[in-house]
Amino acid sequence: MPDHIVTAFTDELEHLSANLLRMGGLAESMIMDASRAVATFDLELARDVIKRDRSIDELEVEAERAIIRLIALRHPMAGDLRAVLGAMKLAGDIERIGDLCKNIAKRCLELNGDENRAAVKGIERMSRAVSHQLQMALDCYLRQDIEAAKTVLDMDDDIDDHYTSLFRETLTYMMEDPRQIGSNTHLIFMAKNLERIGDHATNIAKAVYYMVTGEATTGAKVESRLSGDEGEQR
Amino acid sequence: MDGNMEHFTQTKSSARADTASAPIKVDCQNIDVYYGDKQAIEDISLQIEDRSVTAFIGPSGCGKSTFLRCINRMNDTIESAKVTGKIFMDGANINDPAIDPVLLRSRVGMVFQKPNPFPKSIYDNIAYGPRIHGLASGKAEMDEVVENSLRKAGLWEEVKDRLLAPGTGLSGGQQQRLCIARAIAVSPEVILMDEPCSALDPIATAKIEELIDELRERYCIVIVTHSMQQAARVSQKTAFFHLGKLIEYGDTERIFTNPEHGRTQDYITGRFG
């Protein structure tokens, strides 16, 4: 797409998107570090993750200011309007991801280091999948790629499955040894947080789909657009 | 869970299909306009709905004003202009030589960019049209036409005590509303507006826009504007012109959120086209 006649407008939109990608990168590293803190019982790292949430919050405030400025001063239209509205959604989703990572790190501080290894491994696996999903979602935002957005949506089912099996497994442990109920509950909440992060990554992919196509659509519509038989729908 | 695709909600049944259309007031078919050898309009077909506001947008020289002037045969007054194609209003072709352009223009009123009241009193500005068309018999009836027209144009309260003062003594925004009242006075069916607010301040502009919105209940209104915000605010349909061609025509809401053509998108987002 050609640049705006007013170059400052293009600069501001680019700055906004760079800001969101920076936020997203921070969130991605928080997911991995929070789960590493749990796996290695590294309380220092957990405290560091808690601290980093503040940077994401600050970036969100900055992004919101930029969005309000763009709407008030530039009156974005059509694709620009969708880019700005999409950015607003992204900022909110990434900020929530930061909060959820912070919550995982806080729960880590409540553990005592001898939790059931299987569940901890499960958390690690899940966080790898979730951080990969978020990375893909941010990548599809960067490249405005609706094919990639579709892949991100598909990944969410896997993450939900991860969560369900981890939940069942942990319940079994709790029934076998009631002394572990406290720490295992923390692990379940961590898994639930990761599952929620996956939902936010999915929201990002949906926002990208809207930005590119201008349509908030059904799953079926996404399918048909991607398989190339959108002609009938127009 | 939340992210599942089944949970997608669809906001529009079909994003590309524009809303069901109202009755067509003006049906333009294959219009070409030449100024001498130069072709200003190339094969434009466009249907304008009754009781709604249609906005024409596009860069300077794209033909939007020329096209607007076809609708009341104002191009007839330009020596070198030649118009081909058919324009049906309520089924009759207005380009038919049997149609009297003066009568046509009483059915299709026009408001110009610069307010152009006659150098007469406010009263006579309004009474002029009804008088020459014999639309009022007697003073009482004419008084009523003048008052009604000024009321519809939202000007009555401001001028009722000085109807005999010259129309040119009003402020710019009031003069423009006077011109709209003058257009309304002959009971037209269609009102064409060629950049009616470009010489007005934001408050006078807002008053005209409010007026346009009210007039829409009674008239078919076509407005040419350089302000895309204005097109977005006042119109239900928008047509985008470029280099004498109609590029895209559809619901205003769709044109400004999700235009179909790259050229429309480039223009309304302020990019090099």
Side-chain angles (χ1 to χ4, degrees), chain A residues 137-185:
Chain A
L138 294 170
D139 201 45
C140 82
Y141 171 62
L142 176 67
R143 291 186 283 115
Q144 298 283 290
D145 179 350
I146 56 170
E147 300 267 348
K150 169 72 170 39
T151 317
V152 173
L153 300 183
D154 286 344
M155 291 166 88
D156 207 47
D157 290 342
D158 284 347
I159 288 164
D160 292 346
D161 291 346
H162 265 301
Y163 171 70
T164 312
S165 74
L166 199 141
F167 180 77
R168 288 219 184 98
E169 207 176 323
T170 315
L171 275 189
T172 320
Y173 280 105
M174 290 199 275
M175 285 188 287
E176 275 172 10
D177 181 0
R179 283 170 304 169
Q180 288 202 21
I181 287 180
S183 57
N184 274 304
T185 306

